[in-house]
């Protein structure tokens, strides 16, 4: 009989609420404790999502011996601090993306987890969704032939009340780290590490974070990836992957379970919608199930979202930022 994995959550914002809701769809999981900067916020969140404990500080949560694993859903710039806190207390961690602000932080987090023999994974939920796994399977089966092109856009105009973190440099704001990371993740998943990276950004007038960012990857075989993210306008938020034999269009939003797969075969000139399994919920249950499986097996690293995958993504984001001129306070440390 499987052990019930008792989850804790650090940070009680919108993403944490979706994750907590989907945790109810995971058979061997229970939301045990949550922590926020105020007790009222934590208690309200705990009541909504039926958590047993609510804490007004993160240290109290990580010191709770009943907690098996902690989901970190705080702003980007706190991921390093909160992950290190959890690992220091022997807690397994699922850390929301972006895993860290830069590669230096990510490397320290991973090395510490390995030293302490504690499970650590980046919460890039898209990698566990059925439509993403179907996409990768079709590519591996040669349905697209030799891959040549990846075109991805992700844009929305934030509506009032605008979340302060989106435009706050100290919180890791900007399009690249908030939404452009999905574009970069998909391109790396499909084409691998690029030979060359070009990038430009438009800074927000008040804070300097990137409010638009355009990225171009090029590869030795001539393949290219064009990636665009924006807080200035709403974009289709779709992904198009094309090869020598066919193409795939992931409809809006390409990174969520709501996306559909439209496959176009060049020879028969026909578009087919590929069916994939759909579940209720927001889609976070898939990564939660995977983490539980890893913990049930005593693993300290995911075989699906491995540490090497996180480091490649982080290194690529660093290279994009260096090229485009996107800098955070942590880069100077």
């Amino acid at each position: 009989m499987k052990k019930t994995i008792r989850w804790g959550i650090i940070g009680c914002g919108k993403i944490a609420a979706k994750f907590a809701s989907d945790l109810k769809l995971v058979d061997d999981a229970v939301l045990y404790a949550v922590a926020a900067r105020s007790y009222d916020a934590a208690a309200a969140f705990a009541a909504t999502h039926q958590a047993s404990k609510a804490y007004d500080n993160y240290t109290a949560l990580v010191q709770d011996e009943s907690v098996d694993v902690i989901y970190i859903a705080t702003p980007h710039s706190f991921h390093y601090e909160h992950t290190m806190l959890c690992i220091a207390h022997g807690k397994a961690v699922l850390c929301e993306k972006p895993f860290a602000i830069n590669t230096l932080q990510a490397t320290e987090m991973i090395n510490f987890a390995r030293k302490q023999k504690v499970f650590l994974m980046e919460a890039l939920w898209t990698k566990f969704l059925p439509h993403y796994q179907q996409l990768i399977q079709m590519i591996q089966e040669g349905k697209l032939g030799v891959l040549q092109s990846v075109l991805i856009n992700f844009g929305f105009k934030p509506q009032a009340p605008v979340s302060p973190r989106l435009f706050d440099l100290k919180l890791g704001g900007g399009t690249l780290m908030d939404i452009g990371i999905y574009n970069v993740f998909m391109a790396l998943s499909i084409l691998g590490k690029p030979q060359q990276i070009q990038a430009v950004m438009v800074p927000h007038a008040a804070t300097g974070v990137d409010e638009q960012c355009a990225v171009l990857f090029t590869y030795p075989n001539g393949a290219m990836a064009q990636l665009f993210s924006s807080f200035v306008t709403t974009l289709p938020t779709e992904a198009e992957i094309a090869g020598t034999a066919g193409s795939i269009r992931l409809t809006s939003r390409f990174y969520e379970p709501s996306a559909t797969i439209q496959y176009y075969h060049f020879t028969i000139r026909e578009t087919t919608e590929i069916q994939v399994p759909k579940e209720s919920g927001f889609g976070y249950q898939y990564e939660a199930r995977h983490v539980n499986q890893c913990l049930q097996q005593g693993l300290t690293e995911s075989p699906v979202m491995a540490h090497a995958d996180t480091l490649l993504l982080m290194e690529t984001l660093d290279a994009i930022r260096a090229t485009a001129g996107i800098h955070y306070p942590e880069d100077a440390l």
Side-chain angles (χ1 to χ4, degrees):
M1 184 176 178
K2 286 184 179 179
K3 169 191 174 184
T4 297
I5 304 295
R6 293 163 298 192
W7 283 78
I9 295 179
I10 287 181
C12 295
K14 291 181 179 178
I15 294 179
K18 291 181 178 180
F19 184 88
S21 177
D22 282 355
L23 207 55
K24 297 181 180 70
L25 303 173
V26 183
D27 292 338
D28 55 344
V30 64
L31 179 57
Y32 177 78
V34 301
R37 288 174 294 179
S38 74
Y39 179 75
D40 288 346
F45 191 96
T48 299
H49 299 286
Q50 295 84 54
S52 301
K53 297 282 187 71
Y55 294 105
D56 63 358
N57 71 88
Y58 304 144
T59 301
L61 173 59
V62 302
Q63 289 177 338
D64 189 325
E65 294 182 0
S66 295
V67 175
D68 297 310
V69 56
I70 296 174
Y71 172 60
I72 295 175
T74 48
H76 306 160
S77 57
F78 292 106
H79 289 178
Y80 170 82
E81 175 188 342
H82 296 154
T83 296
M84 297 296 272
L85 176 67
C86 292
I87 295 171
H89 287 81
K91 300 301 185 186
V93 176
L94 174 64
C95 181
E96 192 49 68
K97 62 82 194 164
F99 188 71
I101 290 296
N102 54 37
T103 303
L104 179 60
Q105 285 188 344
T107 302
E108 289 184 13
M109 292 156 69
I110 289 169
N111 287 344
F112 191 37
R114 288 173 174 170
K115 180 182 177 182
Q116 298 296 105
K117 296 180 173 57
V118 171
F119 179 86
L120 174 63
M121 189 184 94
E122 182 174 12
L124 239 163
W125 65 313
T126 304
K127 196 164 191 178
F128 300 91
L129 298 178
H131 78 279
Y132 169 85
Q133 295 179 346
Q134 180 64 49
L135 164 71
I136 298 303
Q137 181 180 328
M138 292 177 69
I139 291 172
Q140 292 173 344
E141 290 173 350
K143 295 289 178 64
L144 303 186
V146 180
L147 296 174
Q148 295 295 318
S149 172
V150 172
L151 302 173
I152 307 177
N153 64 74
F154 191 162
F156 70 95
K157 192 169 184 178
Q159 302 298 307
V162 176
S163 174
R165 69 172 182 82
L166 294 179
F167 295 98
D168 192 335
L169 201 65
K170 292 180 180 178
L171 295 180
T175 70
L176 178 65
M177 298 295 268
D178 192 67
I179 57 177
I181 186 173
Y182 287 111
N183 304 352
V184 176
F185 158 72
M186 290 293 289
L188 292 177
S189 296
I190 295 164
L191 294 175
K193 182 178 181 179
Q195 181 181 49
Q196 185 178 16
I197 296 173
Q198 298 176 58
V200 293
M201 71 93 166
V202 177
H204 184 263
T207 67
V209 302
D210 63 294
E211 63 179 13
Q212 294 205 104
C213 186
V215 180
L216 178 66
F217 291 169
T218 53
Y219 294 82
N221 69 344
M224 303 178 78
Q226 299 178 66
L227 317 172
F228 187 69
S229 54
S230 176
F231 285 158
V232 176
T233 187
T234 298
L235 299 172
T237 309
E238 297 178 340
E240 295 185 15
I241 304 101
T244 54
S247 64
I248 284 176
R249 176 171 168 256
L250 298 182
T251 63
S252 184
R253 298 182 168 194
F254 70 88
Y255 66 98
E256 291 186 345
S258 58
T260 60
I261 300 175
Q262 296 177 353
Y263 171 56
Y264 181 74
H265 193 290
F266 290 167
T267 302
I268 63 177
R269 299 183 181 181
E270 212 171 72
T271 299
T272 305
E273 184 166 312
I274 307 300
Q275 299 301 312
V276 295
K278 297 286 184 182
E279 286 188 16
S280 59
F282 297 101
Y284 293 92
Q285 68 267 30
Y286 297 100
E287 66 177 357
R289 285 175 187 149
H290 177 74
V291 171
N292 275 23
Q293 289 169 3
C294 291
L295 296 179
Q296 299 283 13
Q297 295 170 21
L299 302 180
T300 55
E301 180 177 355
S302 164
V304 177
M305 189 66 202
H307 295 162
D309 299 323
T310 289
L311 289 174
L312 174 59
L313 178 56
M314 208 74 249
E315 289 164 0
T316 306
L317 290 169
D318 279 1
I320 292 169
R321 291 198 299 109
T323 303
I326 303 169
H327 305 291
Y328 295 112
E330 290 84 357
D331 295 328
L333 299 179

